[in-house]
Amino acid sequence: DAGITQSPRHKVTETGTPVTLRCHQTENHRYMYWYRQDPGHGLRLIHYSYGVKDTDKGEVSDGYSVSRSKTEDFLLTLESATSSQTSVYFCAISAGVGYGYTFGSGTRLTVV
Amino acid sequence: AQSVAQPEDQVNVAEGNPLTVKCTYSVSGNPYLFWYVQYPNRGLQFLLKYITGDNLVKGSYGFEAEFNKSQTSFHLKKPSALVSDSALYFCAVRLNDYKLSFGAGTTVTVRA
């Protein structure tokens, strides 16, 4: 979607290795989010940010960390990837909940 | 807890027939409600939202939704479905000033 990009789009990694996914926005929105999408579970919030260096945990944060050193970038790190973290990861941005979210195109991560 | 429920995992309709995707909500106070659509291998796209005002909300691609406070529902509707409407649909509700809670999703299949 315009204004938000995720990289990489696809990644295969080995169990136990660290992985970092990047979300970049050009909208100057305050709020950024990382979700994972799995069959039967819908969308689950991993971490979110409400400003530079301000982040908080979502419902499935174990095994993940995030950083936001600039307004435009929100990084998601899998500290030591496990097979259970094979998923599609979506980043979203928002100017405030009344405006809804804008989602990125997703990163398909496979941990082997 | 504030949440939304999508009671149907799947909805199947014939092209040209009316399409309804159901959503019920449970919130304290006035709800902010949203519908998103996800096409295969894509991120979620915003369809429409209800915050206040007219109970019938019109959105993208010919979709509309009706807010019903007495039934705590926000069903998505389209008078005449197209094969291209086949996708995964998510209902969402505001949790606080910066977070949404998503339903589990409903897969819509429109047969030619």
Side-chain angles (χ1 to χ4, degrees):
Chain A
D1 284 72
I4 178 172
T5 55
Q6 291 184 234
S7 58
R9 292 295 311 275
H10 302 271
K11 186 170 181 66
V12 180
T13 192
E14 294 186 349
T15 298
T17 60
V19 177
T20 295
L21 310 182
R22 182 181 183 237
C23 178
H24 179 78
Q25 63 149 327
T26 57
E27 304 295 325
N28 201 35
H29 285 342
R30 177 180 178 185
Y31 304 104
M32 300 185 75
Y33 312 82
W34 277 108
Y35 285 87
R36 60 178 290 174
Q37 184 178 29
D38 305 287
H41 292 278
L43 287 169
R44 292 183 290 175
L45 181 63
I46 305 171
H47 280 281
Y48 62 97
S49 171
Y50 45 95
V52 174
K53 291 186 170 37
D54 291 324
T55 65
D56 206 348
K57 297 178 179 180
E59 59 186 300
V60 290
S61 60
D62 286 349
Y64 301 95
S65 62
V66 290
S67 66
R68 191 170 179 198
S69 59
K70 305 186 283 187
T71 298
E72 56 265 37
D73 289 326
F74 192 34
L75 304 180
L76 176 71
T77 297
L78 287 65
E79 295 146 5
S80 176
T82 68
S83 58
S84 64
Q85 293 176 312
T86 292
S87 185
V88 180
Y89 291 84
F90 287 101
C91 178
I93 61 174
S94 177
V97 76
Y99 300 93
Y101 291 179
T102 300
F103 283 85
S105 299
T107 296
R108 184 173 296 275
L109 177 68
T110 303
V111 183
V112 298
Chain B
Q2 305 197 118
S3 64
V4 290
Q6 295 180 243
E8 298 165 320
D9 292 337
Q10 293 197 358
V11 170
N12 299 301
V13 298
E15 188 172 36
N17 281 2
L19 169 62
T20 298
V21 188
K22 296 179 180 178
C23 174
T24 59
Y25 65 89
S26 173
V27 300
S28 56
N30 296 320
Y32 286 18
L33 295 158
F34 302 79
W35 276 103
Y36 288 84
V37 60
Q38 184 180 29
Y39 298 104
N41 300 312
R42 301 288 298 277
L44 279 71
Q45 298 176 31
F46 171 79
L47 277 179
L48 50 81
K49 67 180 178 182
Y50 172 83
I51 294 179
T52 189
D54 194 344
N55 289 344
L56 185 64
V57 180
K58 294 189 182 296
S60 306
Y61 311 122
F63 283 94
E64 59 188 28
E66 185 172 10
F67 172 68
N68 188 317
K69 188 172 184 177
S70 63
Q71 297 187 2
T72 62
S73 67
F74 189 56
H75 300 332
L76 181 69
K77 300 181 181 181
K78 187 170 185 179
S80 178
L82 301 172
V83 171
S84 57
D85 293 327
S86 297
L88 182 58
Y89 291 80
F90 289 96
C91 182
V93 67
R94 178 185 70 163
L95 289 181
N96 53 38
D97 285 345
Y98 46 85
K99 280 202 292 183
L100 298 179
S101 175
F102 289 85
T106 298
T107 299
V108 170
T109 302
V110 182
R111 60 186 183 274

